[in-house]
Amino acid sequence: MDRKITLCDVGIEGCKTDEEREEWCMREFDMTYAEYLKVLNSKLPVREALEKVVNKNKHSE
């Protein structure tokens, strides 16, 4: 069975353009690429940063 690989199958490092990164972030975390970078670059401990992303997803449902 042939299956086309999509951005769902790769992490953000597999995205080559900002447009692909934006699409990936919106699909995975319901946030823009800029918001994603802000969380990653924050001085928050990893756990708090992840909670911020997860909580954003819960509020968007």
Side-chain angles (χ1 to χ4, degrees):
M1 172 187 255
D2 289 332
R3 186 169 80 85
K4 184 177 180 182
I5 294 176
T6 67
L7 289 178
C8 293
D9 299 322
V10 298
I12 197 158
E13 58 279 340
C15 300
K16 293 179 175 52
T17 66
D18 282 343
E19 186 177 89
E20 289 178 344
R21 289 179 191 96
E22 186 79 20
E23 183 182 326
W24 185 88
C25 289
M26 289 304 292
R27 185 187 56 256
E28 295 296 319
F29 302 118
D30 192 33
M31 64 173 49
T32 66
Y33 182 51
E35 290 171 321
Y36 174 80
L37 289 177
K38 187 175 179 181
V39 170
L40 286 184
N41 293 324
S42 72
K43 296 190 186 262
L44 292 173
V46 173
R47 181 182 176 138
E48 287 181 43
L50 288 173
E51 285 175 353
K52 190 171 194 146
V53 170
V54 170
N55 287 336
K56 182 173 172 98
N57 279 344
K58 285 181 182 176
H59 294 307
S60 68
E61 291 177 353

